[in-house]
Amino acid sequence: MELDGAKFSLRKFLLLGFIDHESGLKPSPARILEFSPEEQWVKVQPGIIRDELNTFLKPHGLFFGPNTSTSNRCMIGGMVGNNSCGSTSIVYGSTRDHVLELEVILSNGDRAVFMNRDANELNEYQKGDRLE
């Protein structure tokens, strides 16, 4: 099942980009679903490669800070699953520091959206019988 994507905060140091693997240079817009340079966030599919994301974002003066040794082949979805950080984590933080929201499929097949919620929203949400 394919997810719509995840939104990541770009702040002033976060840049997300990509390159189409078939052409080597041609951008593949299906990987980046939305991008707001003004608000400094991007919504991506989990299979986008970290270095490709940064290539896309560089012209906007942004980059995705977590810098793993496998940045030329690691996918954002894997970085989220592992909370990747790398050599620049002291300055730019780990992956979780840049996630605004995640749309995921749970083990029972339900879709869920993880995001910050205020205390009242969280209280109401926890009254449900959903897996998350």
Side-chain angles (χ1 to χ4, degrees):
M1 191 177 290
E2 186 172 299
L3 298 176
D4 288 337
K7 282 187 181 178
F8 290 88
S9 165
L10 299 179
R11 301 188 186 158
K12 292 183 180 175
F13 53 81
L14 185 61
L15 168 65
L16 305 180
F18 63 95
I19 296 173
D20 187 323
H21 289 288
E22 290 179 16
S23 69
L25 295 174
K26 179 183 173 187
S28 177
R31 296 275 185 134
I32 293 180
L33 304 174
E34 293 178 61
F35 174 52
S36 175
E38 299 81 21
E39 295 178 6
Q40 299 183 330
W41 61 262
V42 64
K43 184 176 183 179
V44 300
Q45 292 177 328
I48 192 163
I49 304 240
R50 187 247 182 213
D51 281 358
E52 294 173 355
L53 183 55
N54 280 343
T55 298
F56 172 81
L57 293 171
K58 188 173 185 174
H60 302 281
L62 300 170
F63 66 94
F64 185 67
N67 185 22
T68 64
S69 62
T70 58
S71 64
N72 66 342
R73 58 196 177 280
C74 67
M75 297 178 191
I76 295 296
M79 292 183 75
V80 168
N82 291 307
N83 189 31
S84 297
C85 51
S87 62
T88 60
S89 63
I90 292 173
V91 176
Y92 300 117
S94 62
T95 299
R96 72 176 175 202
D97 298 317
H98 305 287
V99 175
L100 298 176
E101 147 182 332
L102 293 171
E103 180 182 358
V104 301
I105 308 283
L106 302 175
S107 61
N108 66 354
D110 286 350
R111 283 181 180 256
V113 176
F114 298 122
M115 67 179 105
N116 283 334
R117 298 180 191 273
D118 68 31
N120 290 334
E121 287 176 315
L122 183 58
N123 228 1
E124 285 302 312
Y125 198 77
Q126 290 175 330
K127 290 179 183 176
D129 61 353
R130 296 179 48 100
L131 183 60
E132 75 274 25

